[in-house]
Amino acid sequence: MLRLLPRISRVTFNQGVPSLYRGKNAPLALPSINDIAVRSVSASQARKFLPSDHKPHTTEWIVERSVSVVLATTIPLVVIYPCTFVNHALAFSLVMHGHWGLEAVLTDYVHGNAARRVAQLGLTAFSIFTLGTLLYFNVYDVGIGQAFKMLWSV
């Protein structure tokens, strides 16, 4: 790896800018901080590049974090006190959290409008099926909390 790097024989300073020499009279001048153009972009300048229907995502972010907090509190609560309300809260928060996470993955890795739309439709169908299955399990079977307890006792 070191052989791939050029051999530097000396470093000199020309008016405060270091110059690297490879052999005789072949300077590789490093740019000074004055040569680098640094521009600050204000938020109003950045907004003109956004689409006209763009909305700030702060509300969505707050809702996603709230669902994460609900999920973190209902997991231990469903084991301690398994009831229908807590089982349903866990089912909804699990499905919403998973749906938003997989939606972010699809947005990042599926390219093309048609492919993304098909993937989003498949994800929505999968999330609805998962929610229906969990609610059915909560109502007509033992529920998620009791299932955790039964699985843990095995």
Side-chain angles (χ1 to χ4, degrees):
M1 171 104 181
L2 291 176
R3 290 182 186 195
L4 297 176
L5 298 175
R7 258 185 115 173
I8 298 171
S9 59
R10 63 186 170 148
V11 177
T12 61
F13 289 90
N14 184 12
Q15 295 177 352
V17 178
S19 298
L20 305 176
Y21 284 90
R22 270 189 293 177
K24 288 190 173 185
N25 299 328
L28 296 172
L30 298 175
S32 69
I33 194 68
N34 296 332
D35 296 335
I36 300 171
V38 178
R39 291 178 44 197
S40 65
V41 178
S42 67
S44 62
Q45 290 173 335
R47 274 191 215 108
K48 67 182 176 184
F49 297 109
L50 295 174
S52 61
D53 62 344
H54 177 75
K55 297 177 185 172
H57 294 284
T58 54
T59 306
E60 182 180 334
W61 186 85
I62 290 170
V63 170
E64 287 176 358
R65 296 313 169 266
S66 302
V67 168
S68 296
V69 168
V70 168
L71 183 62
T73 56
T74 54
I75 288 174
L77 191 62
V78 79
V79 176
I80 295 168
Y81 183 69
C83 67
T84 306
F85 176 75
V86 177
N87 283 332
H88 287 347
L90 180 64
F92 278 106
S93 60
L94 274 173
V95 171
M96 288 172 61
H97 185 76
H99 179 82
W100 286 330
L102 289 174
E103 187 177 41
V105 170
L106 291 179
T107 302
D108 289 344
Y109 294 109
V110 177
H111 303 289
N113 288 336
R116 185 173 292 149
R117 187 163 290 179
V118 169
Q120 293 276 350
L121 212 77
L123 176 63
T124 302
F126 176 73
S127 296
I128 290 171
F129 174 76
T130 304
L131 180 63
T133 304
L134 286 174
L135 292 178
Y136 181 85
F137 185 72
N138 285 339
V139 172
Y140 295 108
D141 209 341
V142 294
I144 299 173
Q146 193 62 34
F148 278 150
K149 285 183 178 181
M150 290 169 59
L151 187 63
W152 191 263
S153 68
V154 168

